[in-house]
Amino acid sequence: MLIITCPYCQQAREEEEFSYAGEAYIARPTVPEEADDATWGDYVFHRKNPRGWHWEQWQHVAGCRKVFAVKRHTVSYEIAGSWTLADGKALYLEEQA
Amino acid sequence: MANRYSLWSLIKNGLKHHESWQPAWKSPQPKKHYDVIIVGGGGHGLATAYYLAKEHGIKNVAVLEKGYLGGGNTARNTTIIRSNYLWDEAAQLYEHGLKLWEGLSQDLNFNVMFSQRGVMNVGHTLQDMRDIERRANANLLNGVDAVVMTPKEIKDMVPLIDISNRTRYPIMGASFQPRGGVARHDAVAWGFARGASELGVDIIEQCEVTGLIIEGGRIKGVNTSRGDIMADRVGCVAAGNSSVLAKMAGLRLPLESHPLQAFVSESMKPCIDTVVMSNAVHGYVSQSDKGELVIGAGIDSYLGYGQRGSPHVIEHTAAAIIEMFPSFSRVRMNRQWGGIVDVSPDACPIISKTRIKGLYFNCGWGTGGFKATPGSGNVFAHTIAHDDPHPLNRAFSLDRFATGHLIDEHGAAAVAH
Ligand SMILES: Cc1cc2nc3c(=O)[nH]c(=O)nc-3n(C[C@H](O)[C@H](O)[C@H](O)COP(=O)(O)OP(=O)(O)OC[C@H]3O[C@@H](n4cnc5c(N)ncnc54)[C@H](O)[C@@H]3O)c2cc1C
Ligand SMILES: [Zn+2]
């Protein structure tokens, strides 16, 4: 059972209150009209699916219902932290740089 | 065959107190070069190697397995075998597998304990029943056996099931595939390993692939924990770890790896002699030859490579089983485990060439690939041998995620195992 902290409610709650909402910060093609099928296919279907740290989205469905970002390890399931989508994105981009 | 199994060999070895059986497969040192390397010694990888040697005459083959044979999903799954998929492409692929199962023990001279006890998919809503009728009709058109059953017929076949309307989601009917059933999972890995080894394939355990050697857009070999091994062609069959291997080649796959859990009870007298699956309340159960109830359900929602999931998923599964079989509430559970399943967007596999010449992937079987083990290996061997897909797996290529030709079996094919 994962124990997840909602950055809005500021509370650590059991996983059952939340629902998993997939990889975070998938960038949409910036010029949609010019993106070809392969680019759209990549955006819609392909995933990082890493064995290691993963930035992902969770929704607090049985609480405030907001979606936020969590950084979690996909082998140990350790959670490094959770952030609002905007705060998390700044950290995520820093890591990617 | 060095070790042909028969009644005679059993008697002969019995007289020698069973002390002179030979190992079922050889464990050689890796050579420097192979025609084909298969990464992943699960059922699918071993079957691929077996059919490469048997049907395509390609015998300079190695199967590299990072752990031990059958340590992945092969021997973690709940062994349900059926081919009652909705769409033509999927039905034909899985039916090809089912036909191979029907002759497999003879072909391998290894008892995989394939038992065609039938698979029943129960429906609990009017929509379930419409879907069941539609799927059964589609199956019949594809030459796949299918019967639609009434609650009374279900009760006659499975006396312990509750068909009353006291439950929250009463059972309204079912589809039944008489030729479906179960098999002994680790025997499948061992049987294919033995068959492949006999034909000259090197089975190399404790050998993890850590990198793919690619030059000028062509595969040249693999880096492993036991040194570099060169090869003209490499087929990756790594189930939950497929994305990790793809990344070594700079490829992205449309996959998410999730934990999938299952559990078994203490052994009991025979009480259920078919497989019962429910998509709506979400649980399925069969009874093993040892007498254990084998129970499973859906994936954990999050990405996970940990071969374990969360307890609330087990609780949900147990609740579903008890709703259908109230008397099972007194049964004690013995063991629980998880495997990593590679889920694709359309719940169908990817059996495909890649943009790197000589590099192939067979993955995306998700929660339901055990039933396909012989069929998957058979068409993948063809794909590698001819550098061109078999007609049965042409539709299952990677580029369907760019062209949009998905084969949407999510929800279409009863429960996804
Ligand atoms: C709990 C559970 C229940 C299931 N129930 C059913 C069911 O009832 N019916 C059904 O049809 N399917 C079922 N499945 C799905 C089925 O088990 C899989 O789809 C199928 O087994 C996958 O193919 P495989 O046997 O080759 O995989 P695996 O046995 O997982 O083989 C992959 C192998 O690759 C190896 N590997 C990975 N990375 C590397 C590397 N870098 N180098 C070397 N080796 C590597 C792994 O160690 C592993 O042995 C279930 C799965 C689970 C987990
Ligand atoms: Zn909240």
Side-chain angles (χ1 to χ4, degrees), chain A residues 15 42 49 51 72 74 77, chain B residues 241 243 303 305 308 310:
Chain A
E15 178 195 329
D42 188 58
N49 196 23
R51 196 184 163 99
R72 189 178 58 91
T74 60
Y77 299 168
Chain B
N241 281 292
S243 297
L303 273 197
Y305 283 86
R308 63 188 187 283
S310 297

Side-chain angles (χ1 to χ4, degrees), chain B residues 285-327:
Chain B
V285 59
S286 67
Q287 193 171 18
S288 74
D289 292 330
K290 280 188 282 182
E292 306 150 316
L293 295 177
V294 181
I295 296 170
I299 54 173
D300 279 69
S301 64
Y302 48 79
L303 273 197
Y305 283 86
Q307 292 186 322
R308 63 188 187 283
S310 297
H312 68 92
V313 177
I314 304 170
E315 193 179 337
H316 186 92
T317 308
I321 295 300
I322 292 167
E323 160 115 345
M324 289 190 288
F325 296 92
S327 56

Side-chain angles (χ1 to χ4, degrees), chain B residues 46-363:
Chain B
L46 293 162
T48 307
Y50 173 72
Y51 290 114
L52 270 173
K54 184 182 169 225
E55 294 191 350
H56 304 281
I58 302 177
K59 299 186 174 170
N60 185 23
V61 176
V63 178
L64 309 182
E65 165 54 47
K66 70 173 174 182
Y68 58 93
L69 296 193
N73 292 343
T74 300
R76 289 168 187 269
N77 78 87
T78 45
T79 77
I80 297 167
I81 296 170
R82 58 187 180 85
S83 63
N84 55 348
Y85 283 67
L86 177 67
W87 300 106
D88 296 353
E89 296 87 348
Q92 282 156 20
L93 180 67
Y94 287 99
E95 179 61 18
H96 178 56
L98 183 50
K99 291 216 172 87
L100 288 170
W101 278 110
E102 287 174 330
L104 198 62
S105 292
Q106 297 302 322
D107 183 25
L108 294 176
N109 176 236
F110 200 99
N111 188 0
V112 297
M113 297 167 91
F114 179 47
S115 154
Q116 290 179 296
R117 60 186 66 182
V119 172
M120 184 186 286
N121 295 96
V122 298
H124 304 256
T125 63
L126 281 174
Q127 188 56 44
D128 272 0
M129 290 316 297
R130 288 186 202 110
D131 291 343
I132 281 173
E133 294 276 1
R134 178 188 181 206
R135 179 164 42 76
N137 284 326
N139 290 159
L140 292 173
L141 289 172
N142 272 317
V144 173
D145 55 325
V147 190
V148 178
M149 297 173 84
T150 63
K152 165 94 180 30
E153 289 164 337
I154 296 171
K155 184 81 182 166
D156 286 346
M157 189 178 284
V158 186
L160 289 180
I161 205 165
D162 183 358
I163 56 159
S164 72
N165 51 17
R166 286 189 303 273
T167 57
R168 182 158 177 204
Y169 299 106
I171 289 171
M172 300 180 71
S175 72
F176 186 65
Q177 183 177 18
R179 285 163 63 242
V182 293
R184 171 145 182 217
H185 44 29
D186 35 21
V188 175
W190 300 334
F192 274 118
R194 173 168 169 271
S197 176
E198 195 63 42
L199 293 169
V201 171
D202 283 359
I203 313 268
I204 299 162
E205 295 173 86
Q206 308 296 335
C207 180
E208 177 170 3
V209 171
T210 52
L212 298 172
I213 307 169
I214 297 162
E215 281 166 25
R218 190 163 226 311
I219 194 86
K220 295 283 173 187
V222 297
N223 312 115
T224 81
S225 52
R226 293 171 67 171
D228 293 356
I229 310 176
M230 307 316 278
D232 300 336
R233 297 175 187 195
V234 173
C236 297
V237 206
N241 281 292
S242 298
S243 297
V244 181
L245 279 160
K247 198 173 169 212
M248 296 175 192
L251 299 172
R252 272 157 65 88
L253 294 175
L255 293 180
E256 287 196 335
S257 297
H258 289 267
L260 176 63
Q261 308 185 65
F263 47 95
V264 295
S265 73
E266 59 191 332
S267 291
M268 297 184 302
K269 289 259 171 70
C271 61
I272 168 168
D273 63 359
T274 182
V275 181
V276 177
M277 313 179 78
S278 164
N279 211 4
V281 299
H282 213 174
Y284 59 85
V285 59
S286 67
Q287 193 171 18
S288 74
D289 292 330
K290 280 188 282 182
E292 306 150 316
L293 295 177
V294 181
I295 296 170
I299 54 173
D300 279 69
S301 64
Y302 48 79
L303 273 197
Y305 283 86
Q307 292 186 322
R308 63 188 187 283
S310 297
H312 68 92
V313 177
I314 304 170
E315 193 179 337
H316 186 92
T317 308
I321 295 300
I322 292 167
E323 160 115 345
M324 289 190 288
F325 296 92
S327 56
F328 289 172
S329 68
R330 314 296 296 170
V331 176
R332 279 170 302 208
M333 292 302 146
N334 239 356
R335 289 180 290 123
Q336 167 277 339
W337 65 90
I340 317 164
V341 296
D342 42 340
V343 179
S344 72
D346 56 0
C348 273
I350 296 157
I351 314 171
S352 184
K353 297 168 68 165
T354 64
R355 62 176 146 79
I356 289 140
K357 281 214 67 70
L359 180 67
Y360 310 84
F361 270 85
N362 181 355
C363 55

